[in-house]
Amino acid sequence: MLTAALYGLGTALPLLFGAWVGLRYNLPRPLLAALMAFGAGTMVAAVSSELFAPAFAIEGVWVAGTALLAGALVYVVADHLVENKLGPAALGWALMLGALLDGIPENTALGVSLMEGGGVVLLVAVAVGNVPESVAGAASMRKQPGFNSRRAFGVWAITAVVLVLVVIGANAISDNISDGDIAVIQAFAGGATIAVLADSLMPEAYREGGWWVGLSTALGFLVAFALGA
């Protein structure tokens, strides 16, 4: 259990660090755009190699595809509800929601993989992606009317605690979770991640940074793909 807790902290602490940076510092728009684009690139790599590919290989296109679309649908509906409530200030909360929806399945897979002596590559990939995603999300929260930094950080802290508990819980019940079940959960996370990219992260990165953010996206993809190779 101690190992699982440490791995969980390995995913949660980068998330908290990114949120702290985004909430405390008014980052230059080009830097924020670059971070968002880099995070988008890491998420593209995670979806293709770590999340959807195992489900496709184990369960086939129909089961994996259904799980992928279900994940996208859940995020799109939840994001729409957030936008209706918060309006232009919704981006930060949408990115935090995305971090939770894709983080839970990823951390479930991480907790299970520890029983087989693995998990290091997935841990690094998740941690690398969590930093720019939380920086961008937290920085965007500052635009919300009546912004309260302590309250916002508290919400990110709750998210981080949930992700740690997911790793511990998945590790504890790993003997009862089949490879197929894990693969379907990962495909669901992949769908949520794709929706985060299309609806929130990449449009905002382009709006803040312009045409050159494609380079930062490609760099993020390269880094994450190399770590997972």
Side-chain angles (χ1 to χ4, degrees):
M1 182 172 290
L2 177 60
T3 300
L6 292 175
Y7 271 68
L9 287 172
T11 66
L13 290 180
L15 191 79
L16 278 181
F17 173 74
W20 177 78
V21 170
L23 292 170
R24 183 176 178 84
Y25 298 103
N26 188 17
L27 300 177
R29 290 177 62 185
L31 176 59
L32 182 59
L35 286 172
M36 285 190 285
F38 184 90
T42 64
M43 292 163 74
V44 169
V47 170
S48 58
S49 60
E50 299 287 341
L51 297 178
F52 186 69
F56 185 85
I58 295 173
E59 297 293 342
V61 65
W62 292 110
V63 174
T66 299
L68 184 86
L69 293 175
L73 178 63
V74 168
Y75 176 80
V76 168
V77 171
D79 182 46
H80 179 67
L81 295 175
V82 171
E83 285 185 356
N84 284 345
K85 184 175 179 61
L86 299 179
L91 176 65
W93 297 98
L95 292 177
M96 189 198 70
L97 176 66
L100 188 63
L101 286 179
D102 61 29
I104 288 176
E106 287 174 349
N107 282 27
T108 299
L110 180 61
V112 172
S113 68
L114 295 180
M115 294 299 293
E116 300 172 358
V120 175
V121 172
L122 183 57
L123 169 64
V124 174
V126 171
V128 168
N130 279 351
V131 174
E133 187 176 6
S134 59
V135 168
S140 299
M141 286 178 173
R142 297 170 61 147
K143 302 175 184 178
Q144 183 181 359
F147 166 77
N148 184 305
S149 61
R150 289 187 178 181
R151 176 174 174 268
F153 186 78
V155 176
W156 281 99
I158 292 172
T159 303
V161 170
V162 169
L163 295 181
V164 173
L165 293 177
V166 167
V167 177
I168 296 174
N171 182 251
I173 63 172
S174 57
D175 290 340
N176 300 319
I177 303 178
S178 69
D179 291 342
D181 291 338
I182 289 295
V184 170
I185 293 172
Q186 288 177 297
F188 178 93
T193 301
I194 290 173
V196 172
L197 293 173
D199 286 6
S200 304
L201 200 56
M202 296 183 78
E204 184 69 9
Y206 184 82
R207 187 179 72 83
E208 293 288 343
W211 58 270
W212 61 269
V213 296
L215 295 174
S216 186
T217 305
L219 178 62
F221 176 87
L222 176 62
V223 170
F225 189 86
L227 289 172

